[in-house]
Amino acid sequence: GTGAGAVNVAADAGGITLDAGLDIVLDADGDQISMKFGGATGQLDISNANSGDITMSSRTANKDLVVLGDDDVEIIRFVGDGASVEIKDNLSLKSDSAVLKFGANEDITLTHVADYGLTLEQDSDATQEPVFTLKSTGDLASGPMLHFLLDNGAGEADDDVLGTIKFSGDDAGDAETIFAQMSAISTDVTNADE
């Protein structure tokens, strides 16, 4: 066809090219549009059953690739310089052994230990290297704070353990052993007598 909104369909060597002067809209009343590659199908299924990666990219220099929710609110932004990913709100790693890795060699890891907590680990034989540093910057009168908070609702009582720091290492049998620990105790929770 001809004109600003014309669609030209060309078949060449078994392929079909759609060339439109305006947008191309796929409208399926059956509520499903399947993109099929190598026999794999789905509601929106882009797959490569042969070889190579599947990629999405912004073809405009220094423009971001953005994922929106059903309300057109931004969820994830892949920044155009390739240096960062921005997530609007929450990030959930739904695995009992989820790992965040840091560094070109992934030498620092933050691992979820099921029903226990988080482990920050440094893969290095070096000594006296800080695995975790608290740092405040600017023209400040005080430095960072490490805050232990026990929030037990209305169940507070004398002699609650408010927080503990443990120092552990291997004993002669290569078993993890606590060699020292410090605990803070709320010996009196009476208001104004804490």
Side-chain angles (χ1 to χ4, degrees):
T2 59
V7 176
N8 296 304
V9 180
D12 183 22
I16 296 177
T17 300
L18 297 178
D19 185 2
L22 297 175
D23 294 341
I24 295 176
V25 177
L26 302 177
D27 186 353
D29 290 337
D31 199 29
Q32 179 170 321
I33 296 174
S34 293
M35 300 178 71
K36 184 176 181 180
F37 295 85
T41 61
Q43 282 189 291
L44 182 57
D45 183 1
I46 302 173
S47 61
N48 186 340
N50 298 313
S51 63
D53 296 331
I54 299 167
T55 62
M56 293 187 301
S57 64
S58 171
R59 295 296 184 181
T60 305
N62 298 317
K63 294 299 182 181
D64 301 344
L65 182 63
V66 180
V67 178
L68 304 179
D70 61 358
D71 53 1
D72 288 335
V73 173
E74 179 178 320
I75 299 174
I76 302 175
R77 177 178 294 267
F78 299 89
V79 180
D81 60 9
S84 62
V85 176
E86 299 172 0
I87 298 175
K88 180 180 183 296
D89 285 317
N90 301 324
L91 173 64
S92 295
L93 303 179
K94 295 190 175 183
S95 166
D96 279 340
S97 56
V99 180
L100 285 177
K101 300 179 180 181
F102 302 87
N105 297 323
E106 299 181 340
D107 56 328
I108 300 290
T109 59
L110 183 63
T111 304
H112 174 248
V113 181
D115 303 321
Y116 186 79
L118 297 173
T119 299
L120 183 63
E121 181 177 345
Q122 179 185 37
D123 182 14
S124 173
D125 292 329
T127 59
Q128 298 299 315
E129 290 185 358
V131 176
F132 183 68
T133 301
L134 297 176
K135 178 181 179 180
S136 295
T137 60
D139 186 7
L140 306 172
S142 62
M145 176 188 296
L146 184 61
H147 186 190
F148 291 76
L149 174 63
L150 173 63
D151 184 358
N152 55 13
E156 61 275 352
D158 291 350
D159 299 322
D160 283 346
V161 179
L162 303 178
T164 301
I165 299 175
K166 296 182 179 181
F167 299 86
S168 301
D170 291 339
D171 64 11
D174 201 30
E176 181 179 319
T177 303
I178 298 172
F179 286 87
Q181 71 178 32
M182 296 182 292
S183 295
I185 310 295
S186 59
T187 56
D188 189 348
V189 296
T190 305
N191 190 28
D193 288 335
E194 299 92 336

